[in-house]
Amino acid sequence: MFGGRRVGASSPQGRFAAGARLLDGRVVVDADAHGKHLLVGFDGDRVLHVHLGIYGTYGMGAGVAPAPTGAVRLRLVGEAGWADLRGPNVCEVLDRGEVKVLRDRLGADPLRADADPEVAWRRIARTRTCVGVLLLDQSVVAGPGNIYRAEVLFRQGVHPGVQGHALGRRRWEAIWDDLVVLMAEGVRTGRIDTVRPEHTPEAMGRPPRVDDHGGEVYVYRRAGLPCLVCGHGVRTAVLAGRNLFWCPVCQPSEGHEG
DNA sequence: TACCTATGTACAC
DNA sequence: TGTACCTAGGTAT
């Protein structure tokens, strides 16, 4: 919608007024994402860096932009359409050098063709930190969040408390390969569905259930409900500051509880 | 109208 | 580990 075109930038809410002025009237030359970070390049060595965080949203449309509603941090308007950004964790203008600093602190992104899971593995293999924490550490793996953490560990039968050094290369490779598939599918469909065809409510003869986040999942936010595979109650605990969910039967704990 | 929750991160201690 | 950031939508009062 904006690539190669001159765009208008404004901050109806006012909090990004100075930044918007740096971009206003410039041409969008490229756009890229690394993990949860969006990088939109403008002419003049200016890069818009956006991280949606936990609240942020983008609203977009074709044609003439409507009057802004709510707290619109940044509005971009081009010939073909408009985009409104609300509530981001980060919204700033960087130069290419600052972008490199940002990228250097991010780990392998399962959605990127240039990702090297070997780098992540070297970090994982030498730490006692558990895999449930490592999967949310964006300097190890960039992109997965709380839903993918819970779901990929369930799909691979890995207890979230397994320490990095005890995970083993094969299990790490299985987790990585699954993330690549799941996240690509998420991009394609715009939602997070992780339930295999043989476990869908239709296949199992259960009523359909879609989580509030909009996708079908095995354990995420299903605390106390029966596991879709074995029927045991799904457990929950806080790990790395976020609500974690797992099935204690399908994800055996290898000698430790909790 | 108040309160709670959420696909996240940084910083103080 | 706790808290601030900061927004919208849902539920309770």
Side-chain angles (χ1 to χ4, degrees), chain A residues 150-238:
Chain A
E151 294 299 303
V152 78
L153 289 176
F154 178 88
R155 284 168 56 99
Q156 296 307 315
V158 176
H159 189 279
V162 175
Q163 294 179 347
H165 68 85
L167 186 62
R169 193 187 186 97
R170 279 179 54 193
R171 279 199 297 189
W172 161 245
E173 288 175 350
I175 288 170
W176 173 267
D177 290 346
D178 209 18
L179 284 172
V180 170
V181 171
L182 287 175
M183 292 173 66
E185 178 72 0
V187 169
R188 190 180 70 79
T189 63
R191 48 185 270 175
I192 299 176
D193 294 298
T194 60
V195 178
R196 294 187 173 96
E198 62 267 34
H199 297 142
T200 60
E202 300 77 48
M204 303 287 279
R206 295 194 182 99
R209 178 193 178 278
V210 172
D211 183 78
D212 285 345
H213 84 275
E216 283 187 14
V217 287
Y218 280 106
V219 289
Y220 175 69
R221 282 204 299 209
R222 294 194 67 250
L225 295 172
C227 171
L228 297 183
V229 175
C230 76
H232 194 283
V234 172
R235 286 194 185 168
T236 187
V238 174

Side-chain angles (χ1 to χ4, degrees), chain A residues 6 18-19 23 26 42 76 94 99 103 117 129 138 141 143 150 159 162 165 189 197 210 217 219 224 234 237:
Chain A
R6 200 168 297 281
L23 305 177
R26 294 191 174 273
F42 291 74
L76 295 180
L94 305 178
V99 170
R103 285 186 181 281
T129 302
Q138 302 294 298
V141 193
H159 189 279
V162 175
H165 68 85
T189 63
V210 172
V217 287
V219 289
V234 172

Side-chain angles (χ1 to χ4, degrees), chain A residues 20-180:
Chain A
R21 279 194 292 275
L22 293 174
L23 305 177
D24 188 37
R26 294 191 174 273
V27 174
V28 173
V29 295
D30 57 34
D32 196 14
H34 192 145
K36 299 172 184 127
H37 301 258
L38 170 64
L39 300 161
V40 182
F42 291 74
D43 66 69
D45 187 35
R46 291 176 185 184
V47 180
L48 172 65
H49 172 216
V50 171
H51 188 300
L52 292 178
I54 203 164
Y55 311 124
T57 59
Y58 253 117
M60 301 186 196
V64 178
T69 56
V72 178
R73 183 82 59 89
L74 171 63
R75 165 170 281 189
L76 295 180
V77 178
E79 300 170 9
W82 53 274
D84 282 352
L85 172 64
R86 292 179 174 82
N89 202 19
V90 175
C91 178
E92 61 186 359
V93 179
L94 305 178
D95 61 34
R96 297 284 173 179
E98 291 168 319
V99 170
K100 182 175 185 309
V101 172
L102 168 67
R103 285 186 181 281
D104 285 348
R105 69 174 169 84
L106 294 174
D109 178 349
L111 287 172
R112 291 182 65 90
D114 60 5
D116 182 1
E118 185 66 23
V119 177
W121 168 243
R122 286 198 289 270
R123 285 274 305 273
I124 293 165
R126 67 170 193 254
T127 181
R128 295 171 67 179
T129 302
C130 66
V131 66
V133 172
L134 290 167
L135 283 177
L136 289 187
D137 185 338
Q138 302 294 298
S139 70
V140 177
V141 193
N146 201 27
I147 301 178
Y148 284 118
R149 165 175 78 163
E151 294 299 303
V152 78
L153 289 176
F154 178 88
R155 284 168 56 99
Q156 296 307 315
V158 176
H159 189 279
V162 175
Q163 294 179 347
H165 68 85
L167 186 62
R169 193 187 186 97
R170 279 179 54 193
R171 279 199 297 189
W172 161 245
E173 288 175 350
I175 288 170
W176 173 267
D177 290 346
D178 209 18
L179 284 172
V180 170

